């Protein structure tokens, strides 16, 4: 791919609540401050007419920021699909609405696409704890619970099975080959703490394009806010259970071998090492050691329970999701001049 195409990056930010107004403004500002300028920023509003109107007023005079209504069913996946369809870039990046990107975020993404086989590049997501510091009991191995990069992922720029959706980018042709994000599997505001829609998409993509390369570059950094409510064990447990439900749905669709490929290494290597560190810290009277070890064990058991129940539901046809083809902006080709 030529350099002009690499530089054409659309950024999609999906939003749903006015409670995150200041966060949304900060997210957009961080995109506009990139060392490699984005072609455009698309704010996709998820079935909230008041927020849609307010953001439209806020950015009506701002060049390269577009405000759109989610054209599909309620939820993050449909919002992302709306952004993909409306975007004009050859690379489409996704940023959470409660996160800010470091200045070279898009530049590091773009570098990954120098190889035409690369279909997706993800980055590193760092938590900003509402309390000002990580809870002593909260294990880094479970930072995915709060939407952040977790301990156990390899460092540097490396090949992965899937990227993490809140800090990711895809080549447009990836969606041409595999379709969009599946609806019925991802988040719906704060009501369904499910996930794995990006995992399912990435597995579907590599099946459609066996030569595809997916990368994570830990230099592409964003900082993600963790609200106070998510610093408590109750949310930790709920999110771990929901992850098990989601993984069961994905495994039912793509097969357990591929659907749980990365999770096996995580469960057999990363988590036992985390428990051992926690117990060592407890023996050395370091704060939170026993809590971290216990949280890892509880998280595994809770996720396993969700997976078992989700597997039963999936076999009975109780939980389903659907994949939609992305219909692009008819004016996109003309915008390439």
């Amino acid at each position: 791919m030529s350099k002009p195409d690499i530089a054409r990056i659309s950024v999609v930010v999906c939003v749903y609540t006015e409670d995150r107004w200041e966060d949304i403004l900060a997210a957009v500002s961080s995109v506009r401050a990139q060392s490699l300028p984005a072609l455009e920023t698309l704010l996709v509003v998820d079935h909230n007419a008041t927020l849609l109107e307010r953001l439209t007023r806020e950015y009506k005079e701002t060049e390269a920021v577009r405000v759109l209504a989610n054209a599909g069913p309620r939820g993050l996946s449909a919002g992302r699909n709306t952004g993909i369809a409306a975007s004009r870039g050859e690379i489409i990046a996704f940023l959470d609405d409660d996160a800010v990107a470091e200045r070279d975020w898009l530049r590091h993404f773009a570098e990954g696409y120098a190889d035409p086989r690369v279909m997706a590049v993800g980055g590193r997501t760092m938590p900003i704890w509402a309390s000002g510091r990580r809870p002593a009991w909260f294990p880094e191995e479970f930072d995915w619970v709060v939407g952040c990069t977790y301990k156990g992922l390899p460092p540097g720029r490396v090949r992965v099975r899937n990227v993490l959706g809140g800090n990711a980018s895809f080549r447009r042709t990836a969606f041409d080959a595999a379709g969009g994000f599946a609806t019925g599997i991802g988040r719906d505001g704060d009501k369904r703490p499910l996930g794995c829609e990006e995992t399912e998409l990435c597995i579907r993509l590599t099946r459609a394009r066996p030569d595809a390369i997916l990368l994570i570059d830990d230099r592409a950094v964003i900082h993600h806010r963790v609200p106070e409510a998510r610093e408590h064990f109750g949310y930790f447990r709920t999110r771990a259970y929901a992850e098990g439900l989601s993984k069961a749905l994905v495994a039912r669709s793509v097969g357990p071998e591929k659907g749980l490929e990365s999770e096996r290494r995580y469960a057999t290597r990363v988590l036992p090492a985390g428990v051992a560190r926690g117990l060592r810290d407890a023996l050395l009277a370091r704060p939170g050691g026993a809590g971290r070890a216990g949280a890892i064990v509880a998280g595994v058991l809770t996720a396993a329970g969700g997976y078992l129940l989700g597997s039963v539901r999936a076999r009975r046809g109780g939980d389903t999701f659907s994949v939609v083809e992305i219909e692009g902006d008819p004016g996109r080709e003309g915008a390439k001049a």
Side-chain angles (χ1 to χ4, degrees):
M1 179 173 279
S2 66
K3 287 184 178 180
D5 283 338
I6 288 177
R8 293 178 55 83
I9 304 180
S10 296
V11 177
V12 174
V13 182
C14 294
V15 303
Y16 69 97
T17 175
E18 288 182 277
D19 292 343
R20 293 186 177 179
W21 179 257
E22 295 300 329
D23 291 335
I24 295 168
L25 300 186
V28 174
S29 293
S30 75
V31 175
R32 300 187 68 211
Q34 290 294 298
S35 60
L36 176 64
L39 172 67
E40 59 187 349
T41 301
L42 293 89
L43 290 170
V44 183
V45 183
D46 192 17
H47 298 270
N48 184 330
T50 302
L51 180 59
L52 178 67
E53 182 181 355
R54 188 176 178 188
L55 284 171
T56 299
R57 290 198 307 268
E58 178 72 22
Y59 290 108
K60 66 179 180 179
E61 304 295 337
T62 305
E63 186 177 359
V65 177
R66 299 161 60 196
V67 180
L68 311 169
N70 179 3
R74 185 183 300 275
L76 181 58
S77 290
R80 287 173 174 166
N81 291 340
T82 297
I84 296 165
S87 64
R88 297 189 292 261
E90 294 307 310
I91 307 299
I92 303 160
F94 298 93
L95 179 66
D96 275 346
D97 64 344
D98 53 356
V100 291
E102 292 192 358
R103 179 171 170 76
D104 292 327
W105 177 60
L106 291 181
R107 185 174 299 281
H108 291 309
F109 275 171
E111 289 172 359
Y113 291 101
D115 183 339
R117 297 173 299 169
V118 172
M119 289 287 113
V121 183
R124 178 160 53 104
T125 302
M126 306 294 293
I128 304 174
W129 301 96
S131 61
R133 64 176 61 185
R134 171 186 297 275
W137 63 269
F138 202 113
E140 293 181 49
E141 292 82 359
F142 273 77
D143 276 6
W144 54 263
V145 164
V146 291
C148 294
T149 301
Y150 56 90
K151 190 178 186 68
L153 286 176
R157 184 195 288 170
V158 294
R159 292 187 68 163
V160 291
R161 179 195 66 181
N162 62 275
V163 297
L164 304 179
N167 179 11
S169 64
F170 291 84
R171 205 183 288 274
R172 177 174 295 281
T173 52
F175 301 109
D176 296 336
F181 288 92
T183 58
I185 188 174
R187 286 178 176 267
D188 178 0
D190 288 324
K191 299 173 185 175
R192 304 177 63 203
L194 302 180
C196 295
E197 65 271 26
E198 63 272 2
T199 300
E200 190 277 332
L201 171 62
C202 289
I203 293 173
R204 186 166 15 105
L205 172 59
T206 52
R207 285 185 166 181
R209 290 283 303 270
D211 62 331
I213 294 174
L214 283 64
L215 302 174
I216 284 183
D217 188 335
D218 66 4
R219 300 172 302 165
V221 178
I222 70 169
H223 299 267
H224 175 73
R225 289 191 178 276
V226 180
E228 191 272 337
R230 297 185 183 183
E231 294 187 8
H232 299 290
F233 184 71
Y235 180 82
F236 178 93
R237 182 177 55 195
T238 299
R239 181 66 184 85
Y241 181 73
E243 184 74 3
L245 292 174
S246 302
K247 281 290 190 297
L249 194 55
V250 171
R252 179 69 173 172
S253 174
V254 304
E257 181 176 353
K258 195 67 177 177
L260 299 176
E261 180 181 39
S262 298
E263 288 73 15
R264 290 192 184 94
R265 176 187 174 277
Y266 173 73
T268 58
R269 298 183 186 180
V270 176
L271 295 184
V275 171
R277 279 192 298 273
L279 294 176
R280 178 200 63 195
D281 288 348
L283 290 173
L284 295 173
R286 292 172 179 168
R292 289 191 297 275
I296 291 174
V297 173
V300 170
L301 294 176
T302 304
Y307 181 82
L308 290 174
L309 179 59
S311 297
V312 172
R313 288 180 178 176
R315 283 196 297 269
R316 293 176 177 174
D319 289 320
T320 61
F321 61 89
S322 58
V323 177
V324 299
E325 292 186 6
I326 302 294
E327 297 182 4
D329 182 348
R332 192 176 73 220
E333 292 300 320
K336 288 184 179 180

